[in-house]
Amino acid sequence: PPLPDLQLYLGGGAVSDALRATLARKVTPRVGIVYGSSELGLVAIADAQTFARHPRCAGRLVPWALAEAVDAQGKALPPGTRGELRFQFLGRFDGYLGDPQTTARHLRDGWYYPGDLGRVERDGLLYVDGRVNELVNVGGDKFLASSVEQALETHPDVVEAGVVAADLPTGGRVLLAVVVSRGAFDEAAILEHVRPRLGRRTPARVFRADALPRNEMGKLVRARLAQGLSNALGGRAG
């Protein structure tokens, strides 16, 4: 790589193995990760050595932050148990200007709820699995759409993937995927590749696109992806 001594920190979302490998080859092998937000500031950080040992983590909690995962009733869960994440930290904001509803949703009982699902280990490592609004329900099975996207992205021809649940005009609810592929697009091969890993969570269909809709931060805009599929299928996706 051209900058072997550079320490590069990533943030804003999960880091795929393919991205890590590309950065190590083209930029620097010293890749770390950070987690935080405008409201929280920096909450967790992992240097290259820690991130290499724990490639799915979002960093180790900084000394001035406290984090918990809670259940649907807001009860703190044991370390290592996945739930909705909440944080306390030195310095805080009072709320969102002119938006009391959003303030009430994210600030509760002295805790800040960013809307992320994850877990906190006893050693302070933070794992962020996805957004609360990424949970999909297909046939009574609730799971994160991002877990299906990660499985799809293990296929050598898939650059990136987006997944939504769709209500079909004929009834029923199915999982649909859109991928950006390199080379020829083979839907059957992609489904065959992920079915042993996903089982009943395997998408019913996979479609190809030149690009996925993303915002200025590079995050997938799932609502726009769902709308595009709805228009194409004549149903309702979400």
Side-chain angles (χ1 to χ4, degrees), residues 103-138:
T103 299
R105 185 167 68 251
H106 290 285
L107 283 175
R108 304 196 297 272
D109 301 323
W111 291 89
Y112 176 72
Y113 292 74
D116 287 333
L117 290 171
R119 69 185 193 273
V120 185
E121 298 292 348
R122 292 188 184 278
D123 59 1
L125 280 176
L126 175 69
Y127 289 81
V128 180
D129 300 324
R131 301 287 293 171
V132 173
N133 58 12
E134 285 183 358
L135 279 172
V136 295
N137 188 338
V138 178

Side-chain angles (χ1 to χ4, degrees), residues 36-189:
S37 69
S38 300
E39 299 89 345
L40 294 169
L42 179 66
V43 172
I45 184 169
D47 60 16
Q49 291 75 23
T50 301
F51 195 37
R53 292 194 301 269
H54 308 279
R56 296 292 175 259
C57 82
R60 192 181 302 277
L61 290 172
V62 295
W64 57 88
L66 177 65
E68 290 180 344
V70 299
D71 61 19
Q73 288 73 43
K75 182 180 178 181
L77 297 168
T81 305
R82 191 178 80 179
E84 183 174 3
L85 293 170
R86 67 182 184 183
F87 299 89
Q88 289 181 345
F89 49 97
L90 289 178
R92 61 181 297 271
F93 72 110
D94 295 323
Y96 298 94
L97 185 63
D99 194 347
Q101 291 183 334
T102 300
T103 299
R105 185 167 68 251
H106 290 285
L107 283 175
R108 304 196 297 272
D109 301 323
W111 291 89
Y112 176 72
Y113 292 74
D116 287 333
L117 290 171
R119 69 185 193 273
V120 185
E121 298 292 348
R122 292 188 184 278
D123 59 1
L125 280 176
L126 175 69
Y127 289 81
V128 180
D129 300 324
R131 301 287 293 171
V132 173
N133 58 12
E134 285 183 358
L135 279 172
V136 295
N137 188 338
V138 178
D141 187 13
K142 294 182 180 180
F143 53 92
L144 285 166
S146 57
S147 65
V148 179
E149 292 162 357
Q150 292 167 9
L152 289 165
E153 290 169 0
T154 63
H155 189 281
D157 292 335
V158 174
V159 178
E160 56 181 352
V163 170
V164 296
D167 294 318
L168 300 177
T170 54
R173 189 168 176 83
V174 296
L175 202 65
L176 303 175
V178 178
V179 302
V180 177
S181 64
R182 56 174 67 88
F185 170 67
D186 189 337
E187 179 187 11

